[in-house]
Amino acid sequence: MKKELRIKRNKDFQTVFQKGRSFANRQFVVYALPKEEQEYFRIGLSVSKKIGNAVTRNRIKRYIRQSILELKDQLALGNDYVIIARKPVADMDFSTVKSSLTHVLKVGKVLNKNVKNQ
């Protein structure tokens, strides 16, 4: 993912947490904050040390980034998203991560309904 599509600063994370709306399933919590002046979406990832060691956490982040990359055409533009991984994600493979992330984004109504899992 390009650098301008990532949320890196703590201030930006806190803004999304405080002003955005959240939706969740067992594996992920997603916060979404609409930004009218922004014509693209940005993603911030949070994977706690409670989930596993650095190798596990980095694998989870790679899976999430790749899932977002594959879903970017269906994702609502002009939003900032913060995705928080929960404990069950540590034992999931890529296809399960993608389907779970697709589910939680549909729950939050930020993903088009006509998306098919591949």
Side-chain angles (χ1 to χ4, degrees), residues 11-117:
K11 186 179 117 181
D12 293 338
F13 273 94
Q14 295 306 320
T15 303
V16 174
F17 288 141
Q18 291 166 2
K19 297 182 181 174
R21 60 187 182 94
S22 67
F23 30 96
N25 62 9
R26 286 178 172 259
Q27 293 83 17
F28 296 103
V29 178
V30 178
Y31 287 84
L33 178 66
K35 296 186 127 187
E36 285 82 28
E37 72 276 0
Q38 191 171 279
E39 65 271 359
Y40 51 88
F41 64 84
R42 295 190 314 162
I43 299 289
L45 301 178
S46 174
V47 183
S48 170
K49 285 186 178 181
K50 294 177 186 175
I51 290 180
N53 62 12
V55 174
T56 304
R57 295 193 310 269
N58 287 331
R59 179 175 39 82
I60 292 167
K61 289 189 272 189
R62 278 197 318 272
Y63 286 171
I64 294 171
R65 280 192 207 106
Q66 184 61 34
S67 299
I68 293 296
L69 197 63
E70 292 179 11
L71 296 170
K72 71 179 181 191
D73 296 330
Q74 292 88 23
L75 205 53
L77 299 175
N79 284 346
D80 279 355
Y81 300 101
V82 173
I83 301 170
I84 302 171
R86 288 180 168 170
K87 188 79 170 160
V89 178
D91 303 322
M92 294 165 57
D93 63 343
F94 172 71
S95 61
T96 317
V97 168
K98 183 179 176 188
S99 65
S100 178
L101 197 55
T102 302
H103 171 261
V104 75
L105 292 171
K106 283 182 183 176
V107 166
K109 296 180 176 58
V110 294
L111 195 68
N112 294 338
K113 296 273 185 201
N114 59 1
V115 176
K116 293 187 171 109
N117 289 338

